[in-house]
Amino acid sequence: MGGSAAEAAGQTGRAAAAKPFGVAVVGCGNISKQYLKNLVTFPDVQVLFCADIDAGRAKAQAAAYGVPASGSPEQALDHPDVRLVVNLTIPAAHAEVASAAIAAGKHVWNEKPLAPDVASGRALLDQAAHAGVRVGCAPDTVLGAGIQSARRLIAAGAIGTPISALTLLQGPGPESWHPDPEFLFAKGAGPLFDLGPYYLSVLATLFGPATRVAAVGRRESDTRVIGSGPRAGTEFAVEVPTYMSALAQYAGGQAASLLFSWDSPLTRSGFVEITGTEATLAVPDPNQFDGDLRVRRAGDQEWTVIAAHGAAAGRGSGVVDMVRAIRRGQPHRASGEMAQHVLELMTAIERSAASSSFEPLESVFDLPEMLAEDWDPHVAAA
Ligand SMILES: NC(=O)c1ccc[n+]([C@@H]2O[C@H](COP(=O)([O-])OP(=O)(O)OC[C@H]3O[C@@H](n4cnc5c(N)ncnc54)[C@H](O)[C@@H]3O)[C@@H](O)[C@H]2O)c1
């Protein structure tokens, strides 16, 4: 069966460590390709089941990636050797699917955002704590070589004391390439909730928890048109702001200026700069696992390029870190608590755009330990 309080405390020990951790992927849409491609190559996990409310999709993904069984989400939860559910459903289904998995005694890795609202995110974490199982959450890009190298550089004093951040994401929006983009413009999505988790999780990893935010939001159009796939030409409703500009203040005293926009013909993304008392650090794209870093000190005419060091194994890396942490009784890094804080932060940004006032934040989380440079999900843990 799935996790127990003893397992969460790491008491199952070595016997369990010998066998790959049984995993089910629930939600076999667009992003499941990246997860399955990676998860089947990670020796610490074994994908035993692919599930979807669309049985055909589950069957096709199982066949494509050599997964032995497929079927409904309920069948995945009934599988006796599945101990962790990788929940890749649409955001509106994240909490419901995760909650059912926890009720069946399984650990859960959720795609982002953790839940559609703060209350259901909190309820999920409480349910998991009570059941003695873990919740982890995307993005695990923060475990990639790029962001981990940024953390190491800052810890080594490369920019002095970090004092501020500037992030930028702008473009025309994903309806041009996603064949089923409606969910990305529905409540709980938009550029803030869809891509904000990458940028805000980097800042959470580098600065810790935020304490208050203010924001301005707008929406250029009430409808958009699907640009690719079998439903190209279909018009659909836009329910959320498609432009959000925010200011955030962090408990450590740092400030951040943030832009998330799908109302721009010009595409610019992956821009994250951390300014310290002595230098500015340009961090690689938070939606990638790798990429060079650049540092510019006071008086420099050029950036100094610094190569990232560490694993860049892609989506699913956080699942491996979680499985290893469960076995060792240690905290996992891409934690539900950090994701809950990011969810509260995004919700507060949305609320501030509506209220025109600063919105406070309450949740906190423990900063995860940095990953070692030689951490590698492709090599079985000792
Ligand atoms: N597409 C991307 O590039 C991308 C990148 C990173 C993260 N994500 C995240 O991954 C998640 C899924 O995105 P996607 O693009 O793969 O969406 P998608 O619509 O392509 O796939 C979602 C799948 O979940 C299934 N599903 C919906 N409700 C379900 C339920 N209750 N039980 C079981 N299956 C259910 C759908 O049938 C569909 O196959 C979202 O949270 C998204 O934010 C997507």
Side-chain angles (χ1 to χ4, degrees):
M1 272 305 289
S4 64
E7 183 180 80
Q11 291 168 15
T12 46
R14 291 203 181 118
K19 201 176 153 197
F21 216 84
V23 165
V25 169
V26 176
C28 290
N30 221 280
I31 202 62
S32 68
K33 297 170 212 154
Q34 282 188 38
Y35 271 91
L36 284 162
K37 176 172 75 67
N38 295 334
L39 287 173
V40 297
T41 69
F42 297 156
D44 289 333
V45 298
Q46 186 178 12
V47 186
L48 297 171
F49 204 94
C50 283
D52 200 293
I53 43 172
D54 180 335
R57 280 190 181 186
K59 193 173 176 190
Q61 288 303 66
Y65 295 94
V67 175
S70 68
S72 68
E74 294 74 23
Q75 287 173 307
L77 300 186
D78 282 344
H79 194 302
D81 296 326
V82 167
R83 300 167 67 194
L84 185 147
V85 165
V86 177
N87 177 8
L88 309 181
T89 59
I90 54 170
H94 284 176
E96 183 193 324
V97 169
S99 176
I102 293 167
K106 318 290 185 187
H107 305 282
V108 176
W109 171 268
N110 253 22
E111 245 309 325
K112 49 76 190 167
L114 177 66
D117 56 71
V118 170
S120 48
R122 188 71 261 158
L124 206 58
L125 298 184
D126 290 348
Q127 184 193 357
H130 192 251
V133 296
R134 306 272 192 112
V135 175
C137 189
D140 48 4
T141 42
V142 291
L143 305 187
I147 310 306
Q148 289 293 314
S149 297
R151 239 191 118 178
R152 279 184 224 116
L153 273 176
I154 291 172
I159 63 168
T161 304
I163 49 182
S164 65
L166 185 60
T167 78
L168 179 58
L169 170 277
Q170 65 178 158
E175 78 277 16
S176 59
W177 61 266
H178 200 297
D180 301 304
E182 286 95 332
F183 79 88
L184 293 165
F185 294 85
K187 198 159 168 29
L192 173 64
F193 284 84
D194 183 47
L195 293 164
Y198 297 105
Y199 295 79
L200 297 169
S201 298
V202 167
L203 297 188
T205 300
L206 300 179
F207 290 169
T211 53
R212 64 172 185 154
V213 290
V216 173
R218 67 185 299 281
R219 172 186 353 183
E220 182 52 29
S221 171
D222 291 341
T223 60
R224 294 208 178 200
V225 176
I226 299 177
S228 71
R231 298 168 57 236
T234 308
E235 194 175 23
F236 63 93
V238 176
E239 297 174 6
V240 288
T242 40
Y243 171 101
M244 196 64 89
S245 176
L247 300 171
Q249 188 162 40
Y250 286 80
Q254 306 91 342
S257 302
L258 314 146
L259 177 67
F260 306 104
S261 173
W262 285 341
D263 284 347
S264 166
L266 174 65
T267 297
R268 262 194 303 215
S269 64
F271 185 102
V272 179
E273 283 184 0
I274 309 296
T275 290
T277 48
E278 292 169 27
T280 291
L281 169 66
V283 173
D285 187 339
N287 198 355
Q288 304 294 328
F289 285 78
D290 210 351
D292 287 339
L293 301 97
R294 292 176 302 139
V295 173
R296 198 150 165 171
R297 300 179 66 83
D300 284 358
Q301 297 303 309
E302 303 288 342
W303 292 90
T304 301
V305 177
I306 300 172
H309 294 285
R315 295 186 204 280
S317 298
V319 176
V320 174
D321 177 62
M322 192 171 159
V323 161
R324 291 178 181 175
I326 290 167
R327 286 182 165 154
R328 291 174 182 158
Q330 295 169 346
H332 55 287
R333 290 178 173 80
S335 70
E337 292 294 343
M338 191 198 278
Q340 174 70 8
H341 180 76
V342 168
L343 176 62
E344 191 195 359
L345 182 47
M346 295 187 296
T347 307
I349 288 173
E350 191 176 55
R351 221 173 36 244
S352 171
S355 70
S356 300
S357 60
F358 270 96
E359 295 288 334
L361 282 115
E362 287 169 5
S363 61
V364 292
F365 58 91
D366 293 328
L367 262 188
E369 278 186 22
M370 285 185 263
L371 277 173
E373 274 187 36
D374 63 356
W375 187 85
D376 187 354
H378 286 116
V379 177

